[in-house]
Amino acid sequence: MKLLYSPASPYAAKVRMAARYLGIQISEVKIDTNTNPPELIDNNPLGKIPVLIRDGEPPIYDSIAIMHYLNRQAGGQLYPKKDAKRTDVEVLEALCDGIMDCLLAIMYERRFHPEEKIHQPWIDKQWEKVVRGLDYLEKNLPKTGKKLNGGHFALAALIGYLDLRFNGQWAEGRPELASWPDIFSKRFSHYGEMKAAG
Ligand SMILES: N[C@@H](CCC(=O)N[C@@H](CS)C(=O)NCC(=O)O)C(=O)O
């Protein structure tokens, strides 16, 4: 199996970390989404990463579908079995991914518009969502014991991306969230090398 990814992508970081944790071997192919390479758009019409490519089977996207595929491959080790716990983890992942969506919307607004067309109210609206989401996480961090799940990897991916692109803008006033990577790293020692990197 191979994963189309970019080192800065938080969604790809989530999937790559989860696969590593589960001991699933995936080779990684770096992709520049800006150039729409055939290998990307032939496998995902949306032109987004991550995409998991399997021998003789259809490609899998987006990151959530890949996470659930990895979970099945690993005999259910990535998500809790009990219904209520599983829902909690899935909602945590949805929140972290949703915050990443807002952060990316901000990045793309700045990156893909000429200066005079950047719409600050749109950026502000996305940032308000980020603030609400991070404040919620500060008060509702998941228990982080020996057994990790999809929610932990989504949270780790989010914090890695915040550090990469929004350094100095999110950690103040959120000590629990800012120090959570120390706890996570004790459970997953590859975090430092696998989180989003520019
Ligand atoms: N919901 C998707 C989001 C994927 C996504 O937005 N990936 C970004 C990179 S971090 C991307 O491919 N952007 C290129 C584009 O939107 O054209 C997932 O969970 O995989």
Side-chain angles (χ1 to χ4, degrees):
M1 292 194 291
K2 63 181 178 181
L3 187 80
L4 309 186
Y5 86 111
S6 110
S9 166
Y11 312 96
K14 175 182 69 170
V15 164
R16 293 165 63 222
M17 290 190 286
R20 179 80 167 257
Y21 172 72
L22 296 169
I24 297 175
Q25 299 288 333
I26 302 178
S27 59
E28 298 180 341
V29 180
K30 239 189 252 183
I31 286 282
D32 177 4
T33 54
N34 294 317
T35 61
N36 272 343
E39 190 170 26
L40 174 62
I41 52 173
D42 290 352
N43 285 299
N44 177 358
L46 303 172
K48 296 188 185 202
I49 49 167
V51 183
L52 185 67
I53 299 179
R54 303 169 296 160
D55 276 346
E57 306 278 351
I60 305 179
Y61 55 86
D62 61 2
S63 68
I64 293 179
I66 298 172
M67 293 291 274
H68 287 283
Y69 175 74
L70 296 178
N71 182 52
R72 292 190 295 279
Q73 291 293 105
Q77 283 180 68
L78 191 56
Y79 290 89
K81 300 238 172 351
K82 288 196 180 128
D83 203 52
K85 279 196 177 154
R86 184 169 185 138
T87 301
D88 285 350
V89 167
E90 289 181 352
V91 171
L92 172 63
E93 183 174 359
L95 176 62
C96 294
D97 282 18
I99 297 173
M100 296 190 247
D101 293 345
C102 300
L103 295 171
L104 246 78
I106 293 172
M107 290 300 298
Y108 289 168
E109 181 70 20
R110 292 187 180 136
R111 188 180 295 164
F112 295 114
H113 290 104
E115 187 78 34
E116 69 281 6
K117 291 205 169 142
I118 295 175
H119 192 56
Q120 190 59 40
W122 170 250
I123 292 179
D124 295 344
K125 188 173 166 63
Q126 298 305 315
W127 188 250
E128 279 166 25
K129 294 172 194 282
V130 171
V131 167
R132 284 197 301 266
L134 296 182
D135 287 345
Y136 177 86
L137 288 169
E138 172 70 13
K139 294 199 191 86
N140 297 279
L141 281 173
K143 278 198 198 112
T144 308
K146 224 171 163 179
K147 207 168 179 309
L148 298 176
N149 60 48
H152 295 119
F153 290 106
L155 180 58
L158 166 63
I159 294 178
Y161 191 71
L162 283 164
D163 276 341
L164 178 67
R165 298 285 192 230
F166 296 83
N167 202 8
Q169 297 170 59
W170 68 274
E172 208 187 311
R174 299 191 184 100
E176 301 297 327
L177 195 55
S179 59
W180 183 80
D182 300 337
I183 302 168
F184 177 71
S185 299
K186 289 201 182 97
R187 305 296 184 194
F188 182 71
S189 60
H190 307 289
Y191 182 51
E193 84 218 40
M194 296 190 82
K195 64 184 177 177

